[in-house]
């Protein structure tokens, strides 16, 4: 007795329940499916004709061996077929939020614009909204080391973006310059499971967040005060 598929079956953690019986090269329903690791993802009907595996009920990023055993004849050894099921956890990009930065920030942590649970080591992209020069997206995203740094490439050089925007057809700060520039970033978390030539088991998770960049204004120098002598009897006067 054999399985009709390869010995490894690949799932994403949020995929639908899957019936294993059609994968067997047998019509004998007297056997029994065995969850050899006790994952809790396997359930079967009383007559064993249907055996469902639910990827959402097991711990992801792990392998689960399943056996189908036919042992209904005391005169012959049991007939057993084995199958390994690997379940990969769906990536999490979190939920996009907003954060504030100054135009002279050379290191800004983009993780500040994400909330809730998210996976690190995803990939960041500048995603300027319509109204800005879209060629700046290409300039930044194709020259990543000049703009993104850090162990997860999550540290962004705001100053270099300001320079790139000021050299484009649309300035970063529109009038009035006291209004922050709202810059959008896209974050993509990907499944890193690697089974040779097979594509990732789970689709990418994508979210966007907003970085509010404010212009920095120089403070005027304080005026030099002129000493004034007054007497106790001097009436109040305007400074």
């Amino acid at each position: 007795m054999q399985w009709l598929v390869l010995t490894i079956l690949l799932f994403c953690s949020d995929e639908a329940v899957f019936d294993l019986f059609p994968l067997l090269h047998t019509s004998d329903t007297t056997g029994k499916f065995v969850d050899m690791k006790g994952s809790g993802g396997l359930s079967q009907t009383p007559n064993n004709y249907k055996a469902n595996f639910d990827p959402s009920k097991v711990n992801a990023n792990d392998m689960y061996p399943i056996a189908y055993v036919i042992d209904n004849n005391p005169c012959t050894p049991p007939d057993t077929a084995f199958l390994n099921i690997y379940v990969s956890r769906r990536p999490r990009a979190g939920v996009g939020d907003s954060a504030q930065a100054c135009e002279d920030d050379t290191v800004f942590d983009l993780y500040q614009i994400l909330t809730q649970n998210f996976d690190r080591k995803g990939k960041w992209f500048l995603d300027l909204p319509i109204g800005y020069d879209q060629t700046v997206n290409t300039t930044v995203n194709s020259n990543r080391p000049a703009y993104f740094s850090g162990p997860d490439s999550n540290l962004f050089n705001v100053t270099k973006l300001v320079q790139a925007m000021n050299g484009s057809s649309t300035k970063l700060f529109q009038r009035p310059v006291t209004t922050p520039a709202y810059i959008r970033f896209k974050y993509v978390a990907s499944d890193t499971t690697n089974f040779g030539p097979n594509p990732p088991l789970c689709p990418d998770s994508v979210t966007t967040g907003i970085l509010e960049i404010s212009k920095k204004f120089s403070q005027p120098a304080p005026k030099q005060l002129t000493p004034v002598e007054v007497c106790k009897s001097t009436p109040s006067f305007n400074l």
Side-chain angles (χ1 to χ4, degrees):
M1 179 180 58
Q2 297 176 335
W3 295 93
L4 292 176
V5 295
L6 298 178
T7 55
I8 296 182
L9 195 61
L10 308 176
F11 284 105
C12 185
S13 60
D14 62 351
E15 286 192 51
V17 175
F18 194 82
D19 183 11
L20 298 178
F21 193 85
L23 302 180
L24 283 169
H25 188 62
T26 181
S27 58
D28 190 337
T29 62
T30 63
K32 183 179 181 180
F33 287 90
V34 180
D35 187 345
M36 301 179 66
K37 204 171 185 177
S39 69
L42 181 67
S43 62
Q44 52 191 323
T45 56
N47 62 0
N48 296 335
Y49 191 76
K50 193 177 185 67
N52 290 329
F53 186 85
D54 189 346
S56 68
K57 291 186 177 181
V58 303
N59 294 325
N61 297 335
D62 204 351
M63 188 81 75
Y64 298 98
I66 303 293
Y68 184 70
V69 182
I70 299 177
D71 186 13
N72 56 8
N73 189 336
C75 298
T76 58
D79 190 5
T80 305
F82 296 95
L83 173 71
N84 288 314
I85 298 178
Y86 186 87
V87 179
S88 182
R89 180 177 62 77
R90 185 179 180 87
R92 299 171 299 189
V95 177
D97 201 351
S98 63
Q100 297 177 331
C102 295
E103 65 171 337
D104 60 349
D105 287 341
T106 56
V107 177
F108 179 85
D109 186 357
L110 290 173
Y111 284 143
Q112 295 184 51
I113 64 176
L114 298 181
T115 62
Q116 300 186 24
N117 293 329
F118 59 86
D119 297 332
R120 291 176 175 265
K121 298 188 180 300
K123 197 168 185 179
W124 290 95
F125 297 90
L126 180 65
D127 188 28
L128 292 174
I130 300 299
Y132 285 107
D133 186 344
Q134 296 297 298
T135 62
V136 178
N137 283 333
T138 303
T139 299
V140 172
N141 295 328
S142 62
N143 296 278
R144 304 185 64 82
Y147 296 89
F148 300 90
S149 62
D152 296 348
S153 296
N154 58 299
L155 304 180
F156 187 74
N157 192 322
V158 178
T159 301
K160 290 189 71 70
L161 173 64
V162 173
Q163 296 170 352
M165 292 293 295
N166 288 341
S168 70
S169 61
T170 53
K171 304 294 184 184
L172 179 65
F173 296 104
Q174 310 295 329
R175 294 184 181 278
V177 293
T178 54
T179 302
Y182 296 92
I183 302 302
R184 186 173 62 203
F185 286 87
K186 179 170 64 175
Y187 183 64
V188 181
S190 301
D191 183 4
T192 58
T193 304
N194 184 6
F195 279 96
N198 296 295
L201 304 184
C202 302
D204 290 343
S205 176
V206 182
T207 192
T208 57
I210 300 296
L211 183 60
E212 301 177 17
I213 304 176
S214 297
K215 190 171 182 62
K216 189 172 184 178
F217 297 96
S218 58
Q219 297 293 333
K223 293 182 179 180
Q224 186 67 36
L225 300 178
T226 303
V228 177
E229 295 183 0
V230 295
C231 293
K232 184 176 181 180
S233 60
T234 303
S236 62
F237 60 94
N238 189 355
L239 293 174

